[in-house]
Amino acid sequence: MANLNIDAKAQNTYDAIVIGSGISGGWAAKELTGKGLRTLVLERGRDVRHVTDYPTTMTQPWEFEHRGQLTKEVKDANPIISKCYAFYEGTQQFFVKDAEHPYIQEKPFDWIRGYQVGGKSLMWARQTQRWSDFDFEGPARDGFAVDWPIRYADLAPWYSYVERFAGITGNKDGLATLPDGEFLPPHEWNCVEKHFQQKVAGRYKDRHVIMGRAAHITKPQPIHLQQGRAQCQHRTICERGCPFGGYFSSNSSTIPWAARTGKMTLRPDSVVHSIIYDEQKGRATGVRIIDANTKQMQEFYARIIFLNAAALNSNLVLLNSTSHRFPNGLGNDSGVLGKYVAFHNYRAGISAQYDGNLDSTTDGRRPNGPYIPRFRNVYKQETDFLRGYAAGFSANRVSRSNQDGIGADLKQSLLNPELGGWSVGSHMMGETIPKETNYVALDANQKDPFGIPQLKISIAYDDNDDKMVKDYQEQMTEMFTAAGFTNIRVRDDRRNPGLDIHEMGGVRMGKDPKTSMLNKWNQLHAVKNVFVTDGSSMTSTSTQNPSLTYMAMSARSVDYAVKAMKKGLV
């Protein structure tokens, strides 16, 4: 019997385990297997294979039973997930259903999740901006959170490394606040977007309107063709899964690349319960999972573990990984685990009209748009709020079709719509301040369907966020007015935190083990063979979309971990 147990453990032992297969987990898997490590990738959701498991990717609007709309029954059953902009009849299969994955809202929080191989990399918005030293130095300047243990120079080569593989489109804009990257040809502007860019440039020295940087292949390079990916077709239904691989996802890129090595074992339907800590060895030895189908617990073992379950779930796993050595969660000597969670503030927006350029209109589709990098509190503190915000921008010609009649008359009216003026708009992406009062914890009484404690979320806006919204509205109104836009309307929809889908922190990096969980290599201070490279590791949020930074951190951390492992340091 003892020999059987030894054999079973040997069969379940790998060089490395990656928890999660989304953007950061996919990169960890690619890098670990590429360096020769037998790697087990644990995914709590079902398997989703590239192309094969995108059931609606070629579905035409009229082929949907409800023409793409959500039914009242679906909305009533999913009051949280149905708020997400990307959740509709063609994408329901990639989002969790509210009742199946409960959590506790101590304060209102809309937790948007996608549990499957690839995670949310299938449905993400694909914006990929580098962070700058202004972002990494933010906490040191104003004293909120703790100082980052890294700076831009530490990540710059890794940004380049992941950009070349993923395929990022953009312009070389030469901005200190938004470093340039390894770009494929940029997307084109329309005439009103260009008009706005020129008006802003003529009026402000510190404000810039640039074309967004996005994870779309505008001109395939050999490395993309080797992945089996093709040029983006600008279909703008990316969240259904792209059969061309035109945008970056784990499913089309990193996971298949890792599989080709023969070193990856992918195990979907594996809900991670906790990380196993060996008191005598002083290290993590493996991972406990609950099989989603059988509900049976199993254990897998490895020398190094990468935790990439997405920000709040990674907090949950560590909080649930208790032992005599770590009664409050694995590696939690500092007591900060689950605390200082932050997010992006998407509450505010602005819209207007423009009566110029009536000799032009838009044509075709584009999965990207202009972007306004942060310009507030960059070189000095100039407002009554801390940090700043970035913004998106869009301009489209309004068209109206007479839909009366049938047959040829209706066809002609649809093909020759009446054109109105231009509609312009912008949305805000503000940096929120990490605070101890914004936290997640395990509930002592309520369990999820797998017997794991439910996550209790207590995250809210503060006065700093309100002031930032007000300033965004004032500044964008001024910029829109300067551009000649009319009928300007600002909004604050007061959406719940979480709907931004950019939650970060709880397992933050830092220089001091007394005030942080991770060191500069995304390595737990107290458990040297556990690495965390997803959103939970973030010390602050900046204003940029964070996914590119997760990719770069994951590649950098694996490089360190494998070298350290060979030296016997982990």
Side-chain angles (χ1 to χ4, degrees), residues 86-378:
F87 182 75
Y88 59 91
E89 190 175 19
T91 62
Q92 294 179 72
Q93 64 275 10
F94 295 143
F95 290 86
V96 304
K97 304 305 183 285
D98 290 356
E100 296 174 3
H101 300 279
Y103 64 99
I104 297 163
Q105 300 182 58
E106 194 167 86
K107 297 176 182 176
F109 186 91
D110 294 330
W111 192 7
I112 307 301
R113 292 165 287 172
Y115 291 162
Q116 64 260 322
V117 170
K120 295 192 295 293
S121 78
L122 281 171
M123 314 93 77
W124 67 311
R126 307 166 308 283
Q127 290 292 298
T128 45
Q129 306 98 6
R130 293 188 181 199
W131 286 28
S132 73
D133 273 332
F134 295 106
D135 305 300
F136 289 112
E137 293 172 359
R141 289 202 308 270
D142 58 38
F144 275 78
V146 296
D147 189 14
W148 278 88
I150 59 173
R151 292 294 187 263
Y152 175 68
D154 296 301
L155 273 191
W158 296 102
Y159 277 134
S160 293
Y161 179 76
V162 301
E163 285 166 343
R164 286 191 291 265
F165 190 85
I168 308 297
T169 175
N171 273 307
K172 298 281 187 179
D173 298 298
L175 304 179
T177 52
L178 202 71
D180 291 328
E182 308 294 330
F183 295 141
L184 301 174
H187 287 111
E188 294 182 8
W189 302 73
N190 67 43
C191 57
V192 174
E193 292 167 347
K194 201 70 179 175
H195 163 80
F196 183 59
Q197 181 197 45
Q198 292 168 351
K199 288 295 183 182
V200 170
R203 184 180 178 96
Y204 307 95
K205 292 183 179 180
D206 62 341
R207 304 185 188 188
H208 307 274
V209 183
I210 67 172
M211 181 49 66
R213 289 129 185 222
H216 285 270
I217 299 177
T218 52
K219 183 179 180 181
Q221 301 300 301
I223 188 61
H224 307 128
L225 300 177
Q226 291 169 31
Q227 296 172 50
R229 298 169 62 199
Q231 185 165 324
C232 173
Q233 302 297 299
H234 290 197
R235 302 190 311 151
T236 66
I237 50 173
C238 313
E239 61 278 357
R240 298 189 203 171
C242 179
F244 305 96
Y247 75 89
F248 172 84
S249 71
S250 294
N251 306 68
S252 66
S253 181
T254 48
I255 293 294
W257 194 269
R260 286 186 201 178
T261 66
K263 297 289 186 179
M264 183 184 76
T265 299
L266 176 63
R267 195 183 197 282
D269 299 310
S270 303
V271 181
V272 171
H273 175 278
S274 55
I275 295 173
I276 304 165
Y277 181 77
D278 189 304
E279 304 270 352
Q280 294 182 328
K281 294 180 178 179
R283 59 188 289 114
T285 54
V287 177
R288 293 186 189 91
I289 67 108
I290 298 170
D291 187 287
N293 298 313
T294 67
K295 300 297 194 292
Q296 297 298 307
M297 183 174 283
Q298 291 182 251
E299 294 184 354
F300 297 92
Y301 309 94
R303 188 167 170 185
I304 57 175
I305 297 168
F306 270 73
L307 178 54
N308 299 89
L312 299 191
N313 271 324
S314 287
N315 275 274
L316 190 159
V317 169
L318 290 177
L319 287 164
N320 202 43
S321 302
T322 57
S323 60
H324 177 73
R325 169 69 179 84
F326 296 110
N328 299 312
L330 185 68
N332 191 22
D333 289 340
S334 61
V336 301
L337 176 61
K339 301 176 182 177
Y340 300 98
V341 177
F343 55 99
H344 278 151
N345 181 354
Y346 270 88
R347 280 167 37 190
I350 184 170
S351 61
Q353 296 173 342
Y354 182 56
D355 295 327
N357 292 103
L358 297 181
D359 58 341
S360 301
T361 186
T362 53
D363 181 50
R365 300 171 181 174
R366 184 187 62 196
N368 192 10
Y371 177 81
I372 305 169
R374 172 185 170 184
F375 55 85
R376 284 308 221 186
N377 302 325
V378 177

Side-chain angles (χ1 to χ4, degrees), residues 3-63:
N3 287 335
L4 290 176
N5 289 336
I6 292 172
D7 290 343
K9 185 170 183 178
Q11 291 175 2
N12 287 352
T13 298
Y14 299 82
D15 298 321
I17 294 175
V18 178
I19 301 172
S21 63
I23 278 182
S24 64
W27 266 98
K30 170 191 173 295
E31 295 301 299
L32 288 163
T33 56
K35 295 179 186 299
L37 273 66
R38 292 179 56 251
T39 303
L40 173 65
V41 179
L42 297 170
E43 168 55 52
R44 69 174 292 152
R46 64 189 177 93
D47 193 9
V48 171
R49 292 159 295 169
H50 181 48
V51 184
T52 305
D53 294 324
Y54 304 157
T56 64
T57 188
M58 303 303 287
T59 305
Q60 298 300 322
W62 57 86
E63 295 177 313

